[in-house]
Coordinates of all heavy atoms in Angstrom, one line a residue:
Y1126 N 10.6 -8.6 1.2 CA 11.2 -7.8 2.3 C 10.1 -7.2 3.2 O 9.1 -6.6 2.6 CB 12.0 -6.6 1.8 CG 13.2 -7.0 1.0 CD1 13.1 -7.3 -0.4 CD2 14.5 -7.2 1.6 CE1 14.2 -7.6 -1.2 CE2 15.6 -7.5 0.8 CZ 15.4 -7.8 -0.6 OH 16.5 -8.1 -1.3
V1127 N 10.3 -7.2 4.5 CA 9.4 -6.4 5.4 C 10.0 -4.9 5.4 O 11.2 -4.7 5.4 CB 9.5 -7.0 6.8 CG1 9.1 -5.9 7.9 CG2 8.6 -8.2 6.9
I1128 N 9.0 -4.0 5.2 CA 9.4 -2.6 5.2 C 8.6 -1.9 6.4 O 7.3 -1.9 6.3 CB 9.1 -1.9 3.9 CG1 10.0 -2.6 2.8 CG2 9.4 -0.4 3.9 CD1 11.5 -2.5 2.9
A1129 N 9.3 -1.4 7.4 CA 8.6 -0.9 8.6 C 9.6 0.1 9.3 O 10.8 0.1 8.9 CB 8.2 -2.0 9.5
T1130 N 9.0 0.8 10.3 CA 9.9 1.7 11.0 C 10.4 1.0 12.3 O 11.4 1.5 12.9 CB 9.2 3.0 11.5 OG1 8.2 2.6 12.5 CG2 8.5 3.7 10.3
G1131 N 9.7 0.0 12.8 CA 10.1 -0.7 14.0 C 9.6 0.1 15.2 O 9.9 -0.3 16.4
I1132 N 8.7 1.1 15.0 CA 8.1 1.8 16.2 C 6.6 1.7 16.0 O 6.1 2.0 14.9 CB 8.6 3.3 16.2 CG1 10.1 3.3 16.5 CG2 7.8 4.1 17.2 CD1 10.8 4.6 16.3
S1133 N 6.0 1.3 17.1 CA 4.5 1.1 17.0 C 3.8 2.1 18.0 O 4.3 2.4 19.1 CB 4.2 -0.3 17.4 OG 2.8 -0.6 17.2
K1134 N 2.7 2.7 17.5 CA 1.9 3.6 18.4 C 0.5 3.2 18.3 O 0.0 2.6 17.3 CB 2.0 5.0 17.8 CG 3.4 5.6 17.7 CD 3.9 6.1 19.0 CE 5.3 6.7 18.8 NZ 5.9 7.2 20.1
S1135 N -0.3 3.5 19.4 CA -1.7 3.2 19.4 C -2.5 4.3 18.6 O -2.0 5.4 18.5 CB -2.3 3.1 20.8 OG -2.2 4.3 21.4
V1136 N -3.7 4.0 18.2 CA -4.6 5.0 17.6 C -4.8 6.1 18.6 O -4.9 7.3 18.3 CB -5.9 4.3 17.2 CG1 -6.9 5.4 16.6 CG2 -5.7 3.3 16.1
R1137 N -4.9 5.7 19.9 CA -5.1 6.8 21.0 C -3.9 7.8 20.9 O -4.1 9.0 21.0 CB -5.2 6.1 22.3 CG -5.5 7.1 23.5 CD -5.6 6.4 24.8 NE -6.6 5.4 24.9 CZ -7.9 5.6 25.2 NH1 -8.3 6.9 25.3 NH2 -8.8 4.7 25.3
E1138 N -2.7 7.2 20.8 CA -1.5 8.1 20.8 C -1.6 9.0 19.6 O -1.2 10.2 19.7 CB -0.2 7.3 20.8 CG 0.1 6.7 22.2 CD 1.2 5.7 22.1 OE1 1.1 4.6 21.5 OE2 2.3 6.1 22.6
L1139 N -2.0 8.5 18.5 CA -2.1 9.3 17.2 C -3.1 10.4 17.4 O -2.9 11.6 17.1 CB -2.6 8.4 16.1 CG -3.1 9.0 14.8 CD1 -2.0 9.6 14.0 CD2 -4.0 8.1 14.0
V1140 N -4.3 10.1 18.0 CA -5.4 11.1 18.2 C -4.9 12.2 19.2 O -5.0 13.4 18.9 CB -6.6 10.4 18.8 CG1 -7.6 11.4 19.2 CG2 -7.2 9.4 17.8
E1141 N -4.2 11.7 20.3 CA -3.7 12.7 21.3 C -2.7 13.7 20.6 O -2.8 14.9 20.8 CB -3.0 11.9 22.4 CG -2.7 12.7 23.6 CD -2.1 11.9 24.7 OE1 -1.9 10.7 24.5 OE2 -2.0 12.5 25.8
L1142 N -1.8 13.1 19.8 CA -0.8 13.9 19.2 C -1.4 14.9 18.2 O -1.0 16.1 18.1 CB 0.2 13.0 18.4 CG 1.4 13.7 17.9 CD1 2.5 13.9 18.9 CD2 2.0 12.8 16.8
A1143 N -2.3 14.4 17.4 CA -2.9 15.3 16.3 C -3.7 16.5 17.0 O -3.6 17.6 16.5 CB -3.9 14.5 15.5
F1144 N -4.5 16.2 18.0 CA -5.2 17.3 18.7 C -4.3 18.2 19.4 O -4.5 19.4 19.4 CB -6.3 16.7 19.6 CG -7.6 16.3 18.8 CD1 -7.6 15.1 18.0 CD2 -8.7 17.1 18.8 CE1 -8.7 14.8 17.2 CE2 -9.8 16.7 18.0 CZ -9.8 15.6 17.3
K1145 N -3.3 17.7 20.0 CA -2.3 18.5 20.7 C -1.6 19.5 19.8 O -1.3 20.6 20.1 CB -1.2 17.6 21.4 CG -0.7 18.1 22.7 CD 0.0 17.0 23.4 CE 1.2 17.6 24.2 NZ 2.1 16.6 24.6
A1146 N -1.4 19.0 18.5 CA -0.7 19.8 17.5 C -1.4 21.1 17.2 O -0.9 22.1 16.8 CB -0.4 19.0 16.3
V1147 N -2.8 21.0 17.4 CA -3.6 22.3 17.2 C -4.1 22.9 18.5 O -5.1 23.6 18.5 CB -4.7 22.0 16.2 CG1 -4.2 21.8 14.8 CG2 -5.6 20.9 16.6
G1148 N -3.4 22.4 19.6 CA -3.7 23.0 20.9 C -5.0 22.6 21.5 O -5.6 23.3 22.3
L1149 N -5.5 21.4 21.2 CA -6.8 20.9 21.7 C -6.5 19.6 22.5 O -5.6 18.9 22.3 CB -7.8 20.6 20.6 CG -8.2 21.8 19.7 CD1 -9.1 21.3 18.6 CD2 -8.9 22.9 20.5
N1150 N -7.5 19.4 23.5 CA -7.5 18.2 24.3 C -8.5 17.2 23.6 O -9.7 17.5 23.6 CB -7.8 18.5 25.7 CG -7.8 17.2 26.6 OD1 -7.9 16.1 26.1 ND2 -7.7 17.5 27.9
Y1151 N -8.0 16.1 23.2 CA -8.9 15.2 22.4 C -10.1 14.7 23.2 O -11.2 14.4 22.7 CB -8.1 14.0 21.8 CG -7.8 12.8 22.7 CD1 -8.7 11.7 22.8 CD2 -6.7 12.8 23.5 CE1 -8.4 10.6 23.6 CE2 -6.4 11.7 24.3 CZ -7.3 10.7 24.4 OH -7.0 9.6 25.2
H1152 N -9.9 14.6 24.6 CA -11.0 14.1 25.4 C -12.3 15.0 25.2 O -13.4 14.5 25.4 CB -10.7 14.1 26.9 CG -9.6 13.1 27.2 ND1 -9.9 11.8 27.3 CD2 -8.3 13.2 27.5 CE1 -8.8 11.1 27.6 NE2 -7.8 12.0 27.7
D1153 N -12.1 16.2 24.9 CA -13.3 17.1 24.7 C -14.0 16.9 23.4 O -15.1 17.4 23.2 CB -12.8 18.6 24.8 CG -12.2 18.9 26.1 OD1 -12.5 18.2 27.1 OD2 -11.3 19.8 26.1
Y1154 N -13.4 16.2 22.4 CA -14.0 16.1 21.1 C -14.2 14.7 20.5 O -14.9 14.6 19.5 CB -13.1 16.9 20.1 CG -12.9 18.3 20.5 CD1 -11.7 18.7 21.2 CD2 -13.9 19.3 20.3 CE1 -11.5 20.0 21.6 CE2 -13.7 20.6 20.7 CZ -12.5 21.0 21.3 OH -12.3 22.3 21.7
V1155 N -13.6 13.7 21.1 CA -13.6 12.4 20.5 C -14.4 11.4 21.3 O -14.2 11.3 22.5 CB -12.1 11.9 20.3 CG1 -12.0 10.5 19.7 CG2 -11.3 12.9 19.5
S1156 N -15.2 10.6 20.6 CA -15.9 9.6 21.3 C -15.9 8.3 20.5 O -15.8 8.4 19.2 CB -17.4 10.0 21.6 OG -18.0 10.2 20.4
V1157 N -16.0 7.2 21.2 CA -15.9 5.9 20.5 C -17.3 5.5 20.0 O -18.3 5.6 20.7 CB -15.4 4.8 21.4 CG1 -15.5 3.4 20.8 CG2 -13.9 5.1 21.8
D1158 N -17.3 5.1 18.7 CA -18.6 4.7 18.1 C -18.4 3.2 17.8 O -17.7 2.8 16.9 CB -18.8 5.5 16.8 CG -20.0 5.0 16.0 OD1 -20.6 4.0 16.4 OD2 -20.4 5.7 15.0
P1159 N -19.2 2.3 18.5 CA -19.0 0.9 18.3 C -19.2 0.4 16.9 O -18.7 -0.6 16.5 CB -20.1 0.3 19.3 CG -20.4 1.3 20.2 CD -20.2 2.7 19.5
S1160 N -20.0 1.2 16.1 CA -20.2 0.7 14.7 C -19.0 0.8 13.9 O -18.9 0.3 12.8 CB -21.4 1.6 14.1 OG -20.9 2.9 13.8
L1161 N -17.9 1.5 14.4 CA -16.7 1.6 13.7 C -15.7 0.5 14.0 O -14.6 0.5 13.5 CB -16.0 3.0 13.9 CG -16.8 4.2 13.3 CD1 -16.2 5.5 13.7 CD2 -16.8 4.1 11.8
L1162 N -16.1 -0.3 15.0 CA -15.2 -1.4 15.4 C -15.3 -2.5 14.3 O -16.3 -2.7 13.6 CB -15.6 -2.1 16.7 CG -15.6 -1.1 17.9 CD1 -16.1 -1.8 19.1 CD2 -14.2 -0.6 18.2
R1163 N -14.2 -3.2 14.0 CA -14.2 -4.2 12.9 C -14.6 -5.6 13.4 O -14.3 -5.9 14.6 CB -12.8 -4.2 12.3 CG -12.5 -2.9 11.6 CD -11.1 -2.8 11.1 NE -10.9 -1.5 10.5 CZ -9.9 -1.1 9.8 NH1 -8.8 -1.8 9.7 NH2 -9.8 0.2 9.3
P1164 N -15.1 -6.5 12.6 CA -15.5 -7.8 13.0 C -14.3 -8.6 13.6 O -14.5 -9.4 14.5 CB -16.0 -8.5 11.7 CG -16.4 -7.4 10.8 CD -15.5 -6.2 11.2
A1165 N -13.1 -8.4 13.1 CA -11.9 -8.9 13.7 C -10.8 -7.9 13.6 O -10.7 -7.3 12.5 CB -11.5 -10.2 13.0
E1166 N -10.1 -7.6 14.6 CA -9.1 -6.5 14.6 C -7.7 -7.1 14.5 O -7.4 -8.2 15.0 CB -9.3 -5.7 15.9 CG -8.3 -4.5 16.0 CD -8.4 -3.4 14.9 OE1 -7.8 -3.6 13.9 OE2 -9.0 -2.4 15.2

Side-chain angles (χ1 to χ4, degrees):
Y1126 298 88
V1127 159
I1128 299 297
T1130 69
I1132 293 168
S1133 189
K1134 303 276 181 183
S1135 66
V1136 175
R1137 186 184 295 282
E1138 286 172 288
L1139 165 76
V1140 171
E1141 190 174 10
L1142 186 80
F1144 278 75
K1145 213 165 146 195
V1147 290
L1149 300 176
N1150 181 342
Y1151 81 93
H1152 291 288
D1153 299 334
Y1154 304 98
V1155 178
S1156 61
V1157 171
D1158 177 350
S1160 74
L1161 294 172
L1162 301 175
R1163 296 175 178 184
E1166 179 62 279

